[in-house]
Amino acid sequence: MKVRYFDHAATTPVREEVIKEMIPYFGVEYGNASVMYSLGRNAKRAMDIARRRVSNAINCEANEIYFTSCGSESDNLAIKGFAYANKNKGNHIITSKIEHHAVLDTCKTLERKGFKVTYLNVDKKGIVDLNQLINSISKDTILISIMFANNEIGTIEPIREIGKIAKENNIVFHTDAVQAIGNVKIDVQKLNIDMLSMSGHKFYAPKGVGALYVKEGINFEKLQDGGEQEKNKRAGTENVAEIVGLGKAIELIYSEFNEYNKKLKSLRDYYISEVEKNIDGIKINGDLENRLAGNANISFKDIDGAELLFKLDEKGICASAGSACSTQNPMPSHVLTAIGLEQELANSTLRVSIGKDNSKEDVDYLVNTLKKIINENKRKIEKNKA
Ligand SMILES: *Cc1c(COP(=O)(O)O)cnc(C)c1O
């Protein structure tokens, strides 16, 4: 059976061009980037190119990029690393209720270590409450961490405004941009972003490599001790091949930014309009304007999300019931709860995230399959009532 993949917010396939560029560094170019001889220098040079490609994509200096093992590590390093290094300046951090667990749980850990954290509310569309942000700021506030775009509902946050507020109040601003890379043009200078997290596998590089931007002059502590790699901020021999892959992938995705986003948006809008036409009792979650191009998050009445996923999988369709990280967890997603969705609707929600290889035919197949599953479910419910 043909697999139709609609879960690009969970992970993306690795592009051919990226694999091709990585292969030598799994094989003949196996040098350790920290050594002096030419084999090592080749690895170092390859990492320098990758670093430059990442910095070009977000408009910072190459020496402001630190490679990590994933988006989660980048979030941990930014938030804990900054908090530990600056606790003499204050102990208050502001974040939102709809962050990824890599940020939320990092903040929970810091609370256990004596930091105070404000979790900002969001409105029905998932946009953070800027008034509450302003009112939460105190002389103890050292850090604001707000995600660029939400992984479940696709809402893009008012990052420019948040950056401005942070700057005016002399507070460092971190953003988890894992979902935004490739989908939003990002200029960390114009947006006043001080720290930014990304993850390769969300933009067609492999799993297991991420990057963190930290503006020059911002002090943060390393979390992992050992060697002096990454300007002594992240110990461990570098994953050269995957760093090369991340660099190639970010350059490619921004070189085709317009076509890529146009394609995703047109398929996503087509999907939503077909669902509206063909299926009753649906609710579209998130902001329809400030939204990631490939994201559609829709609640379908009276059907259990896990059951829906299972039945879609039987037909070769991969999608998500909200957050990929909560598939083991029957509780409604914290994001859908925060936008005020009732538990029942939250538990009958399907996230479709479109990627560069999807076609209109894939979307037609998805909508037809959904229609069949939902009609069948309706008949079952009516039969049980009778
Ligand atoms: C996927 C994701 C992460 C985690 O990235 P990993 O590389 O899987 O650790 C963090 N934040 C957001 C918004 C994500 O979508």
Coordinates of all heavy atoms in Angstrom, one line a residue, residues 32 34 67 222 224-230 233-239:
N32 N 38.1 13.8 13.2 CA 37.6 14.5 14.3 C 37.9 16.0 14.1 O 39.1 16.4 13.9 CB 38.3 14.0 15.6 CG 37.7 14.6 16.9 OD1 37.4 15.8 16.9 ND2 37.6 13.9 17.9
S34 N 38.3 18.4 15.9 CA 39.2 19.1 16.9 C 40.7 18.8 16.7 O 41.5 19.4 17.4 CB 38.8 18.6 18.3 OG 37.5 18.9 18.6
F67 N 26.0 24.0 17.5 CA 25.3 22.8 17.1 C 25.0 21.9 18.3 O 25.8 21.8 19.2 CB 26.1 22.0 16.1 CG 26.1 22.7 14.7 CD1 27.3 23.2 14.2 CD2 24.9 22.9 14.0 CE1 27.3 23.9 13.0 CE2 24.9 23.6 12.8 CZ 26.1 24.1 12.3
K222 N 27.3 26.0 30.1 CA 27.2 24.7 29.4 C 26.5 23.7 30.4 O 26.6 23.8 31.6 CB 28.5 24.2 29.0 CG 29.5 23.8 30.1 CD 30.9 23.7 29.6 CE 31.2 22.4 28.8 NZ 32.6 22.2 28.5
Q224 N 26.5 20.2 29.6 CA 27.2 18.9 29.5 C 28.7 19.2 29.5 O 29.2 19.9 28.7 CB 26.8 18.3 28.1 CG 27.4 17.0 27.8 CD 26.6 16.3 26.7 OE1 25.5 15.9 26.9 NE2 27.2 16.1 25.6
D225 N 29.3 18.6 30.5 CA 30.7 18.8 30.7 C 31.6 17.8 29.9 O 31.1 16.7 29.6 CB 31.1 18.7 32.2 CG 30.5 19.8 33.0 OD1 30.6 21.0 32.5 OD2 29.8 19.5 34.0
G226 N 32.8 18.2 29.6 CA 33.7 17.3 28.9 C 34.6 18.2 28.0 O 35.2 19.1 28.6
G227 N 34.7 17.9 26.7 CA 35.6 18.6 25.8 C 35.1 20.1 25.6 O 34.1 20.5 26.1
E228 N 35.9 20.8 24.9 CA 35.7 22.2 24.7 C 35.0 22.5 23.3 O 35.1 23.6 22.8 CB 37.0 23.0 24.8 CG 37.5 22.8 26.2 CD 38.6 23.9 26.6 OE1 39.0 24.6 25.7 OE2 39.0 23.9 27.8
Q229 N 34.3 21.5 22.8 CA 33.7 21.8 21.5 C 32.7 22.9 21.6 O 32.2 23.3 22.6 CB 33.0 20.5 21.0 CG 33.9 19.3 20.6 CD 34.3 18.4 21.8 OE1 33.9 18.7 22.9 NE2 35.0 17.4 21.5
E230 N 32.3 23.4 20.4 CA 31.3 24.5 20.3 C 31.6 25.6 21.3 O 30.8 26.0 22.1 CB 29.9 23.9 20.5 CG 29.5 22.9 19.5 CD 29.4 23.4 18.1 OE1 28.6 24.3 17.8 OE2 30.3 23.0 17.2
K233 N 30.8 25.3 25.0 CA 29.4 25.4 25.5 C 28.7 24.1 25.3 O 27.6 23.9 25.8 CB 28.6 26.5 24.7 CG 29.1 27.9 25.0 CD 28.9 28.3 26.4 CE 29.2 29.7 26.7 NZ 29.3 30.1 28.1
R234 N 29.3 23.1 24.6 CA 28.6 21.9 24.4 C 29.6 20.8 24.1 O 30.1 20.6 23.0 CB 27.7 22.1 23.1 CG 26.5 21.1 23.1 CD 26.9 19.8 22.4 NE 25.8 18.9 22.3 CZ 25.9 17.7 21.8 NH1 27.0 17.3 21.3 NH2 24.8 16.9 21.7
A235 N 29.9 20.0 25.2 CA 31.0 19.0 25.1 C 30.5 17.8 24.3 O 29.3 17.5 24.4 CB 31.4 18.6 26.5
G236 N 31.4 17.2 23.6 CA 31.1 16.0 22.8 C 31.6 16.1 21.4 O 31.4 17.2 20.8
T237 N 32.2 15.1 20.9 CA 32.7 15.2 19.5 C 31.6 15.4 18.6 O 30.5 14.8 18.7 CB 33.5 13.9 19.2 OG1 34.5 13.7 20.1 CG2 34.0 13.9 17.7
E238 N 31.7 16.4 17.7 CA 30.6 16.8 16.8 C 30.1 15.7 15.9 O 30.9 15.0 15.3 CB 31.0 18.1 16.0 CG 31.5 19.2 16.9 CD 33.0 19.2 17.2 OE1 33.6 18.1 17.0 OE2 33.5 20.2 17.6
N239 N 28.8 15.8 15.6 CA 28.2 14.9 14.7 C 28.3 15.5 13.3 O 27.4 16.1 12.7 CB 26.7 14.8 15.1 CG 25.9 13.8 14.3 OD1 26.4 13.2 13.3 ND2 24.7 13.5 14.7

